[in-house]
Amino acid sequence: MHIDKAHLEQFLRTKIELETLTDAQIARILHVGMSTVAHWRHKFHIKPADKFKRKFQEKYGPDALKHFARLVRQGATLQTIGCYFGFSREYARQVYNKLYQGSFRAQQRHQAQARRRTSPKTPRASTPAGDSGKARRHTSLPSHM
């Protein structure tokens, strides 16, 4: 039996990269063993599917990724995001890291800096001349008392 390698590679890439199917799911479709699919995947240098997004949507709803992204864009805290979905702040941090491959804290810092750059500067309160912000000394009482 002759297998068209180009067609097989295209099929595997579609099923793994776009549909995020596992080796087991592809093996069931093709009526072959999982090890056969794994062998083909390695031969074509295709990484296994990242199933996290699909499983997250299965558990929290089809719009869960959109809602998570919206909350992040709006500057919600990890605690707020966790409460929205019904999980802990720590799991919200792990989800963020998995989805965005970066630190939530670094992203928040970046957003804060961007807001500071775009917001109009407000004048700072001035101090009396010669006062460099140090505490004032009361001069109404003699210093020798």
Side-chain angles (χ1 to χ4, degrees):
M1 177 161 123
H2 179 25
I3 298 174
D4 182 11
K5 290 181 181 178
H7 183 68
L8 178 62
E9 181 179 3
Q10 180 186 9
F11 176 82
L12 288 174
R13 286 196 185 280
T14 301
K15 296 298 180 189
I16 293 169
E17 295 171 357
L18 299 178
E19 298 177 32
T20 64
L21 296 183
T22 63
D23 289 352
Q25 291 170 318
I26 295 170
R28 281 192 293 269
I29 292 170
L30 297 175
H31 305 290
V32 296
M34 277 180 34
S35 60
T36 304
V37 174
H39 172 76
W40 289 335
R41 194 171 42 72
H42 290 301
K43 187 172 183 160
F44 296 124
H45 306 288
I46 302 171
K47 292 182 179 180
D50 180 13
K51 301 166 282 290
F52 181 79
K53 290 179 182 178
R54 181 171 46 89
K55 290 188 180 248
F56 188 80
Q57 286 181 307
E58 286 173 4
K59 186 167 185 176
Y60 297 104
D63 293 338
L65 293 173
K66 288 181 201 171
H67 291 298
F68 196 95
R70 179 180 48 81
L71 289 167
V72 169
R73 273 194 318 274
Q74 292 174 347
T77 64
L78 291 172
Q79 185 68 42
T80 305
I81 294 169
C83 287
Y84 181 86
F85 286 100
F87 47 69
S88 70
R89 183 201 65 78
E90 174 59 18
Y91 187 64
R93 184 190 67 78
Q94 292 170 3
V95 170
Y96 180 88
N97 290 348
K98 188 76 171 169
L99 293 176
Y100 299 104
Q101 286 84 32
S103 165
F104 180 79
R105 185 156 166 77
Q107 184 267 344
Q108 290 292 313
R109 236 182 285 122
H110 178 73
Q111 276 186 344
Q113 288 172 349
R115 280 193 300 270
R116 273 187 252 131
R117 280 192 297 259
T118 59
S119 67
K121 299 218 182 235
T122 56
R124 293 183 181 207
S126 61
T127 58
D131 185 8
S132 61
K134 296 179 182 174
R136 289 190 185 166
R137 184 180 208 180
H138 292 282
T139 56
S140 60
L141 296 174
S143 60
H144 64 279
M145 288 186 117

